Amino acid sequence: MTIHYPNGTQYRPQPVNRSKHTESALVKHGDRGMTLEQEINESNQYYLAHDIAVIHKKPTPIQIVKVDYPKRSAAVIREAYFRQASTTDYNGIYRGRYIDFDAKETKEKTRFPLDNFHQHQVEHMRSCLKQGGICFGLIKFVAFDQLYLLKATDLINYWDARNHAGGRKSIPFTAFQTQAIPIKYSLNPTIAYLDAVDQLI
């Protein structure tokens, strides 16, 4: 299936080497082989079931252009476009406050490359902050199996600084150790990230 961005550019997913994908892209927490997205989704289900918060992954709007019908009972999408640039991955309500965040993973050991975020995502967070929302990034350093909550204000400061002469193109790992909030894995929920959010409220 061919998918295009709103500007017409074709979306090309990065090829994944299956053996490396199994070892690095999948989190081997408790031998469950879950990705960060799966862990967040599972945690959100726990929060919802226990009336703690209502937080969901945002659907990505896609415009279907070409569909083949090899059988009457089956349809195969051959071409589609992203209707608009996506903002962040998750949003919802917690303790009467609007929550908006994105989740990113990196295999880097010493830094988090800022190009993991896009301009429209950063601008979306900036707009949400102006309206009193709580915005952040959940950043996972896969090599260390360490997860951090990085406040949107800190992310935006690094983002804005990179546009100046000599600005960094990444956030050093040491900055996460001093500025971000570490998040521990647990049984229920898998990622208790709302404990970290409590420190922002």
Side-chain angles (χ1 to χ4, degrees):
M1 173 177 71
T2 304
I3 299 177
H4 298 271
Y5 288 104
N7 65 4
T9 306
Q10 184 175 343
Y11 168 70
R12 297 183 187 280
Q14 296 296 322
V16 177
N17 179 304
R18 185 56 59 187
S19 61
K20 287 184 180 178
H21 179 70
T22 304
E23 292 176 8
S24 7
L26 291 180
V27 177
K28 294 184 177 178
H29 177 68
D31 291 326
R32 286 175 291 173
M34 294 171 63
T35 64
L36 178 58
E37 181 179 313
Q38 289 170 323
E39 290 172 335
I40 294 171
N41 292 342
E42 185 178 87
S43 300
N44 287 342
Q45 289 174 0
Y46 174 87
Y47 288 138
L48 181 63
H50 291 81
D51 293 325
I52 297 170
V54 179
I55 300 171
H56 296 288
K57 181 168 174 55
K58 300 177 189 175
T60 303
I62 293 178
Q63 175 68 48
I64 298 171
V65 176
K66 183 179 179 183
V67 181
D68 288 345
Y69 296 91
K71 298 179 183 177
R72 286 181 59 90
S73 61
V76 179
I77 299 172
R78 295 293 182 194
E79 187 176 354
Y81 289 85
F82 290 117
R83 286 185 181 170
Q84 59 191 29
S86 61
T87 53
T88 49
D89 288 339
Y90 296 89
N91 70 343
I93 300 292
Y94 173 58
R95 291 176 54 185
R97 300 288 299 274
Y98 176 73
I99 303 285
D100 199 295
F101 67 95
D102 207 282
K104 305 288 185 184
E105 293 179 279
T106 182
K107 296 177 185 176
E108 297 286 345
K109 296 181 179 180
T110 60
R111 62 192 179 89
F112 173 77
L114 284 166
D115 60 9
N116 278 304
F117 280 92
H118 300 286
Q119 181 73 40
H120 63 270
Q121 292 178 314
V122 175
E123 293 308 318
H124 173 75
M125 287 187 175
R126 201 189 305 266
S127 296
C128 289
L129 288 172
K130 287 179 181 177
Q131 299 301 321
I134 298 173
C135 302
F136 54 89
L138 291 183
I139 313 296
K140 179 161 189 174
F141 285 85
V142 176
F144 307 126
D145 198 25
Q146 291 182 11
L147 181 64
Y148 294 90
L149 183 149
L150 180 68
K151 293 183 293 186
T153 50
D154 291 332
L155 170 64
I156 290 168
N157 287 339
Y158 279 104
W159 184 271
D160 290 344
R162 84 175 191 156
N163 294 324
H164 300 317
R168 295 187 62 101
K169 305 298 183 190
S170 61
I171 304 174
F173 178 66
T174 53
F176 283 88
Q177 295 175 305
T178 57
Q179 292 178 292
I181 304 170
I183 298 173
K184 302 293 184 186
Y185 283 92
S186 62
L187 183 60
N188 282 311
T190 308
I191 299 174
Y193 70 89
L194 289 183
D195 291 347
V197 171
D198 285 337
Q199 299 181 43
L200 305 181
I201 297 177

